[in-house]
Amino acid sequence: MHRLTGVNEQRPPLTEPAPEPAGPEVARFWSRPLVLELCSPRRDPLPPLGRPRWLARLPHVAVLYAAVFFGFLTTEQLQDHYHVTGGGPLVLALMTGISIGLGMFRPVLAWWLGLLTAALVAVSIHADVGQGQTWPWTPGGMFAFAPLVLLVALRVPPRVTAWVVGISVACTGLAELGFRPAGSSTTVLEVALLFGFVGLLGYALRALRLARGELVEQETLTAEERARRTVLEERSRIARELHDVVAHHMSVISIQAQVAPHLVENPSEELRENLAGIRENALEALTELRRVLGVLRSEHPDDPAVPQHPQPTLSELDALVANVRGAGLEVTTAVSGIRRTLSPGAELTAYRIVQEALSNCLRHAPGSRVEVGIAYGPRDLHLCIANSAPTRPVPGSPGAGHGLLGMRERAGMLGGELAAGPRPDGGYEVSAVLPLGPQDLPAGPAPETKKV
């Protein structure tokens, strides 16, 4: 009902919608983000050239040269062409150079400073404009202002560039309409053409720079995708090799263990049990192998949508211990504390550590006595697997000896610790401490102790 009600509430009315306010384009152009862009003094450094690397700072050198050149040009024209005396030409020259230099870091602020400088120049020469001389721009002033428009166009969106050019040309036109000296020459057409060309040039260079950036980003993503595809192919190859080698042999072991009692006349019950245990272990190993192969072949092994088999937990510890006992080891277990279900990561890590430790006892300590201790603490899970000295000769192991490393890595993934080393009596001990998360904390204070 709630869902249906929500749909009914959001249904549009049957009446005609209200007409859109007139002039949406005007409202969009005078929107608050545009005003902020035109009035923003934010820092936006001029980007260096991408290639060649040794010319990376060429734009900055060119801007500094333009600042010095147009500063001297402003002083020369004000004094020689318009006969402005005093300290005014020097101050206006400094403002011209500073505005161009500032454009390397704060382009919009530099443009406003350049516009203010141009207005001061126009005021200072208004009374000294001769017949045919340009006003409000000096012949070099409009070219000194062009780098500011270019520096703005290189760093701002196109619509902001359009407004910068439009405001500059509009200010020129308004000044000529209202305050143009008699006999002076108009500059509005030259200014419109110059600033428009410079704005288009800056827009084109900015678009080229952004396109190159997107191309580099796309190349990076393509390289990452190629590397990921290579990893997936390697994982698939490993999965195929594991299936071809290990699965075949485990299947043969399982079939031979099933057929063996029929090849012996009157087999003993103990032989039947051992062969049945061999067959169960082989089938369980095949199941684990297929589970691992499914993860290796999956493109997204952590995706919850990918079907996964249930992982073993400490609740299956009794079956694991019974399996080891059937292989000839004397194993005792002791569980203390509040026995409870932990998070899947803690359960799996604890089970694998015990499983690997018992496997090491089978390989390296035949005939020994093994003690498995599990203690559920308030915030930690303590594991201890200790065995006595072996009573039978230890056969050579073809393994690579990565069992302890794997156990340490499993404990480290949970933020825990694992220690292993020989005991004074000739045995070996593995102990681990696994921190438990909030979801693993006990619900009650009553501890329990169980020995098997």
Side-chain angles (χ1 to χ4, degrees):
M1 289 297 293
H2 176 71
R3 187 179 299 273
L4 293 176
T5 303
V7 172
N8 292 335
E9 288 178 353
Q10 297 176 1
R11 181 178 299 170
L14 297 178
T15 58
E16 291 293 330
E20 187 177 352
E25 292 82 2
V26 176
R28 190 181 303 114
F29 266 81
W30 284 107
S31 59
R32 187 169 180 265
L34 176 61
V35 174
L36 290 179
E37 286 284 352
L38 287 173
C39 301
S40 173
R42 63 184 177 88
R43 179 180 174 84
D44 191 0
L46 181 66
L49 286 179
R51 56 185 68 173
R53 299 292 297 274
W54 61 279
L55 289 179
R57 294 298 173 183
L58 180 61
H60 303 78
V61 175
V63 172
L64 291 177
Y65 176 79
V68 175
F69 174 78
F70 285 115
F72 280 108
L73 183 62
T74 301
T75 303
E76 189 270 336
Q77 290 196 343
L78 290 180
Q79 291 178 346
D80 296 345
H81 292 268
Y82 294 90
H83 307 289
V84 179
T85 58
L90 180 60
V91 173
L92 295 175
L94 287 175
M95 292 180 65
T96 300
I98 291 175
S99 63
I100 296 176
L102 183 63
M104 290 191 297
F105 307 100
R106 302 181 187 273
V108 177
L109 182 61
W111 171 69
W112 282 112
L113 179 59
L115 204 61
L116 174 62
T117 304
L120 294 177
V121 169
V123 171
S124 65
I125 66 175
H126 186 272
D128 302 314
V129 177
Q131 185 69 27
Q133 288 185 314
T134 59
W135 190 90
W137 297 94
T138 64
M142 63 182 72
F143 290 98
F145 192 78
L148 297 177
V149 178
L150 178 62
L151 291 173
V152 170
L154 288 174
R155 261 89 55 85
V156 300
R159 64 168 186 163
V160 180
T161 301
W163 275 97
V164 166
V165 174
I167 291 175
S168 303
V169 175
C171 289
T172 303
L174 291 176
E176 289 190 359
L177 288 176
F179 308 98
R180 179 183 172 186
S184 63
S185 177
T186 180
T187 58
V188 64
L189 181 59
E190 292 85 347
V191 164
L193 292 176
L194 177 62
F195 293 171
F197 171 76
V198 172
L200 288 176
L201 177 63
Y203 165 73
L205 293 177
R206 178 177 181 270
L208 180 61
R209 177 170 57 87
L210 293 179
R212 286 180 176 176
E214 292 178 357
L215 180 60
V216 171
E217 182 179 358
Q218 186 62 38
E219 289 177 352
T220 302
L221 293 176
T222 303
E224 293 177 354
E225 179 65 23
R226 189 182 300 113
R228 189 175 68 89
R229 179 58 56 187
T230 302
V231 171
L232 290 176
E233 291 176 356
E234 183 65 17
R235 284 167 54 179
S236 298
R237 186 184 65 81
I238 294 173
R240 287 194 302 269
E241 291 181 357
L242 282 175
H243 183 272
D244 294 342
V245 177
V246 181
H248 169 73
H249 291 293
M250 296 306 298
S251 299
V252 171
I253 292 173
S254 174
I255 295 173
Q256 288 178 341
Q258 184 179 11
V259 174
H262 303 285
L263 302 179
V264 180
E265 189 174 346
N266 298 324
S268 63
E269 189 64 27
E270 183 178 1
L271 178 60
R272 290 180 179 273
E273 291 180 357
N274 286 334
L275 291 174
I278 293 174
R279 173 174 168 75
E280 290 178 0
N281 288 331
L283 293 177
E284 184 177 353
L286 280 174
T287 302
E288 292 283 340
L289 178 62
R290 292 191 181 98
R291 185 182 306 167
V292 174
L293 294 183
V295 174
L296 285 175
R297 287 169 174 166
S298 175
E299 192 166 335
H300 303 284
D302 297 330
D303 190 351
V306 177
Q308 301 286 346
H309 296 281
Q311 297 290 347
T313 63
L314 288 177
S315 61
E316 303 175 30
L317 180 63
D318 294 339
L320 175 63
V321 171
N323 193 10
V324 176
R325 286 171 181 163
L329 281 184
E330 181 182 347
V331 184
T332 59
T333 61
V335 180
S336 63
I338 304 173
R339 190 166 186 173
R340 56 194 183 274
T341 302
L342 307 178
S343 62
E347 290 276 358
L348 178 61
T349 299
Y351 182 88
R352 293 303 189 194
I353 290 176
V354 176
Q355 183 185 43
E356 181 62 28
L358 291 177
S359 298
N360 288 341
C361 293
L362 284 172
R363 287 194 299 267
H364 305 298
S368 63
R369 297 186 307 276
V370 184
E371 297 178 355
V372 178
I374 301 177
Y376 291 85
R379 299 189 177 276
D380 301 297
L381 178 68
H382 297 259
L383 303 174
C384 182
I385 302 94
N387 62 274
S388 61
T391 58
R392 297 196 300 268
V394 180
S397 176
H402 293 163
L404 288 177
L405 178 61
M407 287 190 285
R408 286 196 177 94
E409 289 179 349
R410 287 184 179 274
M413 284 191 299
L414 293 181
E417 298 178 353
L418 185 138
R423 303 176 68 186
D425 60 356
Y428 204 83
E429 179 177 337
V430 175
S431 59
V433 179
L434 306 179
L436 304 180
Q439 69 275 16
D440 302 323
L441 298 182
E448 64 171 352
T449 302
K450 177 182 178 183
K451 290 186 179 182
V452 179

